[in-house]
Amino acid sequence: MKLNLKRPLAFFDLETTGINVGADRIVEIAILKAMPDGSEVIKSMRINPEMPIPLHSSLIHGIYDEDIATAPTFKDVAAELAEFIGDADLAGYNSNRFDIPVLLEEFLRAEIDFEMLDRKFVDVQNIFHQMEQRTLRAAYKFYCNKDIVNAHSAEADITATYHVLLAQIERYKEVDFEDKQGNISKPVVNDVHALHVFTNMNKPVDFAGRMVYNEKEEETFNFGKHKGKTVEHVFDIEPSYYAWMKQGDFPLYTKKKLDEIWARWSKKKDLLKQERQQQAEANRPKPAQAQPQQSKPQPVQQKKEKPPVDVTHDMLEQLKMKFGK
């Protein structure tokens, strides 16, 4: 059978220096891109983690410092990997809890904005654990009746994961599943959206599980003293919690999602403040307007006329002497 895809589904697996999402780095990545037409494309590469690989990790995946000494760093290939994945949905084994958070950390360090908002992500392990509760090796044996050759090689593991999902869809297409609330459904179907819903029942916000969505689709803290409280409510009662998390040892993607919520919360607070100011302005009593004083008309000053003077003989004589007439 082939997957019923509306767009590509990129299965990927990582080998890393350790299991700390925020601190450890990728040493190998393999991506199997299943296309809607049924074709498959694989990209696999070793990565220089720019830090020593602990011996206990090398003993698991078989990659040592000398094996990646000349390999490119993740920053060197980040743009190439992002372009290869494109707008594909993501799938993997335990990918929601580990592979996706680690990949997002590496993209953020490389300053590549790998958007997750519109992607579906299918965690094959969640299907397996909820239906059978076993490991990848056991899953491959159980569903495909095969043993993984070269286990803990990224390419071998991701190929096995791909085939396990195909077998799971075939096996559980008519099998009932009862959730914790007693709801019964047939969730394992050949549809990426349905598989996305079934394998993300905890609804993570940041993939590291520090924040999850509640039943109202609100971001909620999933750890510490504020566990179970919405992030925005915590910002209301203790805004310094944001600064504490920003300065703490949390994954970069967790901090990125925290920034988005903080920006949205701050905008709401500003709008609410503006509305209150406008309401207060509207309710403030207006001062009485002073009536303009009307000026009284000024009385017209009448010029006093000089009384007429009688012309005498002496006056005439003086005029003659002055003008010579």
Side-chain angles (χ1 to χ4, degrees):
M1 66 173 295
K2 75 180 186 71
L3 287 172
N4 180 21
L5 300 177
K6 294 181 175 64
R7 61 180 180 181
L9 182 60
F11 292 79
F12 77 102
D13 184 69
L14 307 176
E15 303 300 338
T16 62
T17 58
I19 59 174
N20 186 314
V21 170
D24 282 305
R25 304 297 182 89
I26 297 172
V27 298
E28 185 177 40
I29 182 171
I31 307 170
L32 185 154
K33 195 171 180 181
M35 309 301 287
D37 62 4
S39 61
E40 303 162 12
V41 185
I42 293 180
K43 178 183 285 288
S44 179
M45 64 176 67
R46 295 254 174 110
I47 305 291
N48 186 329
E50 301 182 273
M51 64 180 291
I53 304 174
L55 180 60
H56 64 268
S57 297
S58 294
L59 290 174
I60 294 174
H61 50 57
I63 302 172
Y64 295 82
D65 290 335
E66 57 268 25
D67 298 323
I68 46 79
T70 60
T73 66
F74 189 89
K75 190 170 185 178
D76 293 333
V77 298
E80 177 186 347
L81 290 172
E83 183 178 1
F84 179 77
I85 296 172
D87 66 346
D89 296 319
L90 301 177
Y93 196 86
N94 194 32
S95 51
N96 287 358
R97 291 188 177 184
F98 184 73
D99 297 85
I100 288 178
V102 171
L103 184 66
L104 291 173
E105 291 296 293
E106 292 281 28
F107 274 131
L108 286 170
R109 290 189 195 102
E111 299 180 349
I112 296 291
D113 188 9
F114 189 75
E115 184 57 59
M116 291 291 293
L117 186 61
D118 295 325
R119 296 182 196 273
K120 308 298 183 186
F121 32 96
V122 179
D123 192 329
V124 174
Q125 186 192 61
N126 285 352
I127 296 176
F128 184 40
H129 281 186
Q130 292 182 98
M131 303 301 287
E132 302 294 343
Q133 301 183 2
R134 299 184 183 179
T135 63
L136 175 59
R137 183 187 293 273
Y140 195 53
K141 183 69 175 179
F142 181 82
Y143 290 107
C144 305
N145 197 27
K146 296 178 181 179
D147 292 317
I148 300 177
V149 178
N150 196 19
H152 296 300
S153 158
E155 188 169 328
D157 286 355
I158 205 61
T159 301
T161 301
Y162 174 49
H163 290 117
V164 165
L165 177 59
L166 295 176
Q168 286 175 329
I169 294 171
E170 186 66 29
R171 183 182 182 88
Y172 298 123
K173 62 183 178 182
E174 295 298 331
V175 176
D176 289 339
F177 172 76
E178 183 175 353
D179 63 20
K180 294 178 181 179
Q181 288 74 40
N183 302 312
I184 298 176
S185 62
K186 293 180 173 61
V188 185
V189 296
N190 194 350
D191 179 82
V192 170
H193 176 72
L195 296 174
H196 160 81
V197 172
F198 186 54
T199 61
N200 291 276
M201 298 179 75
N202 290 331
K203 298 182 179 179
V205 173
D206 61 336
F207 293 101
R210 298 296 189 178
M211 295 178 287
V212 296
Y213 292 104
N214 63 16
E215 65 279 0
K216 297 179 181 179
E217 297 299 320
E218 299 168 321
E219 298 94 343
T220 304
F221 283 120
N222 195 37
F223 76 102
K225 65 179 182 179
H226 291 307
K227 183 175 181 179
K229 299 176 185 175
T230 66
V231 178
E232 290 196 12
H233 175 63
V234 173
F235 289 165
D236 286 334
I237 62 175
E238 189 181 347
S240 61
Y241 202 69
Y242 166 77
W244 175 77
M245 286 192 67
K246 286 290 290 180
Q247 295 169 5
D249 186 21
F250 293 95
L252 293 177
Y253 193 71
T254 298
K255 293 180 180 181
K256 178 185 177 185
K257 300 305 290 185
L258 194 70
D259 283 340
E260 292 175 2
I261 301 169
W262 177 269
R264 186 184 67 211
W265 174 81
S266 299
K267 186 176 181 180
K268 287 181 181 178
K269 298 288 285 186
D270 290 342
L271 289 174
L272 182 60
K273 184 178 179 181
Q274 291 176 11
E275 289 176 0
R276 288 174 177 171
Q277 289 176 342
Q278 292 172 356
Q279 187 65 34
E281 187 69 26
N283 294 335
R284 185 177 296 132
K286 297 180 179 179
Q289 293 182 352
Q291 296 294 327
Q293 295 182 352
Q294 295 182 353
S295 58
K296 295 181 179 180
Q298 298 294 326
V300 178
Q301 296 289 335
Q302 298 291 334
K303 291 184 177 180
K304 294 182 179 180
E305 295 183 359
K306 294 181 179 180
V309 179
D310 293 333
V311 179
T312 64
H313 177 77
D314 292 338
M315 293 171 66
L316 290 174
E317 289 297 325
Q318 289 177 359
L319 288 172
K320 283 180 181 182
M321 290 174 62
K322 184 177 182 178
F323 297 105
K325 292 187 181 182

